[in-house]
Amino acid sequence: MGRKIWVFDTTLRDGEQVPGAKLNLYEKVEIAQQLKKLGVDIIEAGFPASSQGDFDAVKAVAQKVGNTNDIMITALARAVQADIDSVYNAVKYAENPMIHMVLGTSDIHVEKKFSKSKDQILQIGVDAVKYAKTLLPQVQYSTEDASRSDFEYLWKTIEAVMKAGATMINVPDTVGFAEPEEFGAMIYKLNDRMKNLNDSVLLSVHCHNDLGMATANTLAAIKNGADKVECTINGIGERAGNAALEEVVMALKTRSSVYNAETRINTKEIMNTSRLVSSFMGLDVQVNKAITGDNAFAHSSGIHQDGLLKSRDAYEIVHPEDVGLDDMELVLTARSGRHAVKNALEKLGFSNLATDEFEGVFEGFLKLADAKKEVYDHDLYVIVENYYEKHD
Ligand code: KIV
Ligand code: ZN
């Protein structure tokens, strides 16, 4: 058994920040139900202070999905009393509610965004945590833009909010600026100091994908002691998105000897969740997206198809059944060899073709594949039929 990694899903908050991806209350609750089935530990259901509609949706998620003890429901607040009240009033219906607040720690945020001193921002954070703790026992503090912050100021903030009662510290790479080795080293140092101060406080990371490194940075953080990861389904989220839940989870499972860490995600629910999110949000999944893309388990090269039919391990490191798909897909093209075509014919029930019959059908297949690029099951029926018509 590896170390437990908590999975915090923010599809309904950071994911919903994707332009055009607005969900109604019913869709939010449906997705939250599916996330619960998937086995996430925490659902961030929205940003209730942003609108009445979002407040109502977060409240509905807390009531309908947060009604059991095996899941925590949270929502986002800025470090101001009105936002914190709004989160509290929406999530308090859950069995296990949490307030999540965010305040920047980088010089850019402190000086340019807030026009305040570092000491003033730190005090605002501490006061906000103390206030949130009067409402709920579970409070997460996010140090926005942590990866571009002065390390000693970042630590001073974390130390102060931990002393004020924060139960989870989330370290965001808000603009996807981090690089895995550097981010891992930062998490290592923070983890060391945090565990010395209070080892019951969870260290979390939240990585964005602006340079395509969200998953790599998240995994580097896990290697260096992070207890919790924030992710979204299909990696959706602000700008280039967030670390994709399915990539992080399947990397931990597939390379378990490297990470020695595990989640409680039921990986067989990954495809169902991906499709539900994609269809409700109207966001297509990139075809070559790792794990959930249409081509993630499709093999088209003849050499690969032949190898796979001999041993799936030859070209398959994640098994499609493990993420809830029926089987790998062999896409028949002009580059598919005899082995793949024979296999497809057998699956359709043509298992007793004599050698000359098969060669005739294969010739018909190559002609069609040249003309049409991809050959499907219904095409194979026609090819076989044509062959027999000519040779009757
Ligand atoms: O990217 C970010 O910093 C965030 C915080 C609210 C955690 O989304
Ligand atoms: Zn974010």
Side-chain angles (χ1 to χ4, degrees), residues 89-104:
N89 285 317
V91 300
K92 67 181 179 190
Y93 301 94
E95 288 271 321
N96 226 343
M98 178 169 79
I99 294 168
H100 174 200
M101 73 181 70
V102 60
L103 186 60

Side-chain angles (χ1 to χ4, degrees), residues 291-336:
I291 314 293
T292 54
D294 272 357
N295 292 350
F297 300 99
H299 306 268
S300 74
S301 134
I303 298 171
H304 288 202
Q305 291 178 347
D306 180 58
L308 278 158
L309 290 168
K310 289 173 179 151
S311 163
R312 287 178 64 176
D313 291 343
Y315 294 102
E316 194 178 272
I317 58 160
V318 174
H319 299 306
E321 311 84 84
D322 290 349
V323 298
L325 283 172
D326 286 344
D327 203 353
M328 64 182 172
E329 188 190 351
L330 299 186
V331 182
L332 295 181
T333 68
R335 277 181 273 154
S336 299

